[in-house]
Amino acid sequence: MEVSFALSYKEGNEIRVSLSSFTEAAIPDLIGDLGDCEIVEISLIRQSGDETADIITLSKVVERIGKFIVENPHVILYYYCDEMNEIPGMRATRDISSPEYRNHLFSLLYSKGSRQFPELHIVDMPIVFIGDDHKTFIHLIYREDLQDKADIIKDYLNDIAEGVK
């Protein structure tokens, strides 16, 4: 499954939202345990501009992702808070990393989305891995009735993280 759309905001800035399924080749040990459940990665990519996204744009992102969950009830969304790209307009004096900032922002967006779509009983499972010199933040977003599948994914990720240490 591949879904992609762009949202424009303030003064020509644009964000591309991509939703793409994990393939069996990427996670062969996990796919068999999920049955008809599918893991779909969310990527938010700045296409142009250097302004921070405003709340109106972020609300549009939440609304489109909520509609995606409505249309795809057996999907668990996977969001990795990337370390590669700096946050536009983020002060250097702020004592928080870009991934941690994205983690807080994603939790805020989840809260907004759960209020927009209360009938879905959406759950946000933040997962944090703490290394010697960094933290990794991942979110799993899913309907409450997929809790057992989300727990399988979380255990899988924990096993991978333990193997990396």
Side-chain angles (χ1 to χ4, degrees), residues 90 98 115 118:
M90 192 164 140
S98 293
R115 286 191 304 272

Side-chain angles (χ1 to χ4, degrees), residues 54-98:
D54 60 6
I55 193 65
I56 293 169
T57 302
L58 295 174
S59 293
K60 289 178 189 175
V61 170
V62 168
E63 183 178 337
R64 294 286 294 270
I65 291 172
K67 287 179 181 177
F68 180 82
I69 293 174
V70 167
E71 295 165 2
N72 299 279
H74 298 290
V75 162
I76 293 180
L77 300 176
Y78 171 98
Y79 178 72
Y80 170 77
C81 301
D82 84 79
E83 304 166 20
M84 303 300 285
N85 302 302
E86 292 299 316
I87 307 292
M90 192 164 140
R91 293 171 302 199
T93 57
R94 186 177 237 168
D95 191 25
I96 188 171
S97 67
S98 293

